[in-house]
Amino acid sequence: MSAPALQAPIADLLSRDAAHIDRPYLKPVALDLSAPLDPNGIAILAVIANPELKAQRARAGVRDAQVFAAGLLPDPSFSFGVDHILSGPDPLDNIAGALGFSLNALRTQRVQRAQAVAEARQVRLDLAWAEWQTACNARLQAVRVLALEQALANAATSADASEALLGRYLKAAGRGDIAPDQVQSSRIAALDAQSNFRSAQTTLATARSELHRLLGLPPTYALRLAPASLPAPVPDADRLLALALADRDDLAALRAGYDAQEAAVRRAILDQFPTLDLTISGARDTGGNKLIGPSIGFTLPLWNRNRGGIAVAEATREALRQEYDARLFQTRADIAAAASGLAIARQQYALLRAGMPALATFALASRRAAQRGDLALATAEVAEQSLRDRQLLLLQSEQAIAEQTIALELLVGAPQEAWTL
């Protein structure tokens, strides 16, 4: 699929869906794929167009159909038969018919429907959690792409400067003005700069490919991203944990799964009682006698009494409870670790940023001195390379803050804008 084919009419459909999207963490917008996408646009496109989410939404529809099926009563059974007399004194054929009802379905219908409703709610919550994860992963990947684009530009400048310096050193060595070891050092530096540039190209291509996959776009589609500002500081871990308990859809899905299993336990308990079948039969025998009467069939709960089914259902319920407790423990640990890592990243960013003005001033002064002839040109380029190295570290620090903030949003289950509400 080419980019023009995507833009019309599929892009119009995506824009229409984006304008009517209903998610608590997304703002409906008229999505324009020809313009740079901000983080909200990236998240919307991921939720709408990701192929895996489309498949999960289709499976959620199957669960809704199962809820409808669980509320239906079984059809009654009917039988009819005729026995024709081949020989004998009686003049009539034997006719018999029966209408049967399963009374057991009436007894278990309520818990069966409650189980189906809870299971459907669990599927929808799992889908909501998958959408939130995909949206966050797409935003995180967009942050990486933006950072890697800047890192690639930095690496390209460094590679060009190293190549230019090596060329001057080679000319100077040819004239006998510098020692061979200086040329060798410059050659190694140029090779390292070229290697860093090629590595940055490969990493950027991989990140772009992953972003296109998350967004459901063709690999060759020219996607433009809007630059994002540095995220604001986050609350403490206790506040974030309280938000996670209220907002995380995976925890709500586990609670819905526990409710479904609770209904399954009740159904297993009901199944220990006799199953009842009511049949109303009528007949006319060969002598002309007309008969009608009910009959009841049931199991005798002497040995089994569905004790095995009850034990399995209760054990499954306990396993779900333990799984929920484990998820809570893991959530608490993950949020604490992410908040701590983000605090460290902000400290590192502050230190790097504090040293930038002095380094930039020194690099500018060195370049001016070299242009006047007061300083060797190589010394000025070393100062400028030091500035570019510090800029790359600052860029990586900004990327770490943005990525860890998105990771915290994923763990909390809500965007950062909702943390202060």
Side-chain angles (χ1 to χ4, degrees), residues 8 22-23 50 54 74 117 194 248 282 285 335 349 355 420:
D22 184 17
R23 301 294 188 279
N50 183 270
K54 291 180 180 179
V117 169
Q194 287 293 335
R248 275 186 55 155
D285 61 18
I335 288 177
Y349 174 79
T420 56

Side-chain angles (χ1 to χ4, degrees), residues 149-234:
E149 287 175 346
Q150 297 180 60
L152 180 63
N154 184 290
T157 302
S158 296
D160 292 341
S162 298
E163 284 294 326
L165 181 61
L166 176 61
R168 289 193 295 270
Y169 270 28
L170 288 173
K171 291 179 181 179
R175 297 190 302 267
D177 295 338
I178 60 173
D181 57 340
Q182 291 180 285
V183 178
Q184 180 67 6
S185 298
S186 179
R187 185 182 67 83
I188 294 174
L191 288 175
D192 289 341
Q194 287 293 335
S195 177
N196 291 337
F197 175 70
R198 289 192 295 271
S199 177
Q201 282 183 314
T202 302
T203 305
L204 177 58
T206 302
R208 282 174 173 167
S209 177
E210 176 62 16
L211 179 59
H212 280 70
R213 184 192 69 82
L214 288 170
L215 298 181
L217 296 175
T220 57
Y221 186 79
L223 182 66
R224 299 168 59 195
L225 301 175
S229 58
L230 194 69
V234 303

